[in-house]
């Protein structure tokens, strides 16, 4: 199976919006509101001019299966990531996407650490981060978020 991470393109936006607004996907997001097409396109256009945002589509056999975003902080060489897989993706896609995304950021950017924030109710994402080697950094109990991190050096 061919796996790759490629830059998000404008042509990806419509299906990405449908994934992002899927009820199952939104239920595990910190920002769980449905977004409009206009908001989605505005977000994309703003990301294009922000050199600290990296947007990727994960593909298996040239078929889009997931989305990964990194928000870089060059001062401390960290990147916070966010991601979701296609709502009907097969089991294992998320883990493969995570490995591929970590390898990509490690090889292309001056980043020493990836940070991820997960809702305490999202057991699948908690286990996903642990399986990838992330460690709990802190828990923000007032907003029910667990912060994970993984060192890349």
């Amino acid at each position: 199976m061919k796996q790759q991470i490629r830059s998000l393109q404008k042509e990806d936006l419509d299906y990405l919006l449908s994934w992002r607004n899927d009820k199952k996907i939104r239920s595990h997001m910190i920002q769980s509101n449905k977004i409009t097409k206009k908001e989605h396109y505005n977000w994309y256009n703003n990301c294009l001019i922000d050199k600290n945002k990296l947007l990727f589509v994960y593909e298996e056999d040239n078929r889009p299966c997931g989305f990964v975003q990194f928000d870089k902080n060059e001062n401390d060489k960290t990147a916070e990531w966010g991601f979701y897989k296609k709502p009907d993706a097969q089991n294992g896609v998320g883990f493969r996407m995570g490995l591929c995304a970590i390898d990509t950021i490690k090889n292309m950017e001056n980043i020493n650490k990836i940070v991820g924030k997960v809702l305490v109710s999202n057991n699948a994402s908690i286990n996903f981060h642990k399986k990838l080697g992330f460690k709990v950094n802190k828990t923000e109990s007032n907003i029910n978020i667990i912060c994970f991190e993984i060192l890349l050096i």
Side-chain angles (χ1 to χ4, degrees):
M1 169 187 340
K2 178 184 172 193
Q3 301 173 24
Q4 71 174 4
I5 291 268
R6 64 166 175 80
S7 294
L8 178 70
Q9 303 297 315
K10 189 172 185 177
E11 298 76 35
D12 300 311
L13 292 179
D14 288 341
Y15 71 78
L16 192 67
L17 176 61
S18 70
W19 295 357
R20 188 329 189 154
N21 277 339
D22 182 89
K23 187 176 181 178
K24 182 178 170 187
I25 300 295
R26 285 187 301 112
S27 71
H28 297 296
M29 299 182 94
I30 293 169
Q31 299 292 328
S32 61
N33 58 305
K34 237 181 179 179
I35 58 174
T36 66
K37 187 172 185 173
K38 182 179 179 183
E39 289 170 324
H40 189 59
Y41 276 73
N42 285 341
W43 162 81
Y44 175 72
N45 289 326
N46 288 331
C47 288
L48 289 177
I49 58 176
D50 185 343
K51 66 181 178 74
N52 292 316
K53 291 214 184 284
L54 303 171
L55 309 175
F56 299 103
V57 171
Y58 171 70
E59 294 181 335
E60 292 185 348
D61 296 329
N62 297 314
R63 289 188 311 268
C65 298
F67 167 75
V68 182
Q69 173 177 323
F70 289 98
D71 294 314
K72 299 186 305 181
N73 181 334
E74 293 178 347
N75 294 331
D76 62 4
K77 297 183 179 182
T78 64
E80 182 176 333
W81 77 341
F83 52 86
Y84 46 90
K85 62 183 183 176
K86 184 177 178 179
D88 62 352
Q90 296 177 345
N91 287 340
V93 165
F95 184 70
R96 293 189 299 271
M97 176 176 65
L99 289 174
C100 197
I102 290 169
D103 283 345
T104 299
I105 197 77
K106 189 187 310 185
N107 292 326
M108 70 180 284
E109 295 293 329
N110 189 19
I111 299 296
N112 295 336
K113 179 172 53 174
I114 299 173
V115 177
K117 294 182 178 179
V118 180
L119 293 171
V120 295
S121 61
N122 190 346
N123 291 325
S125 189
I126 291 168
N127 292 333
F128 165 82
H129 279 85
K130 289 178 179 178
K131 188 175 177 182
L132 287 171
F134 282 74
K135 305 292 182 211
V136 174
N137 179 358
K138 64 182 178 178
T139 302
E140 298 176 9
S141 57
N142 59 323
I143 51 176
N144 296 318
I145 292 176
I146 300 173
C147 298
F148 286 92
E149 66 179 35
I150 188 170
L151 296 177
L152 302 178
I153 53 173

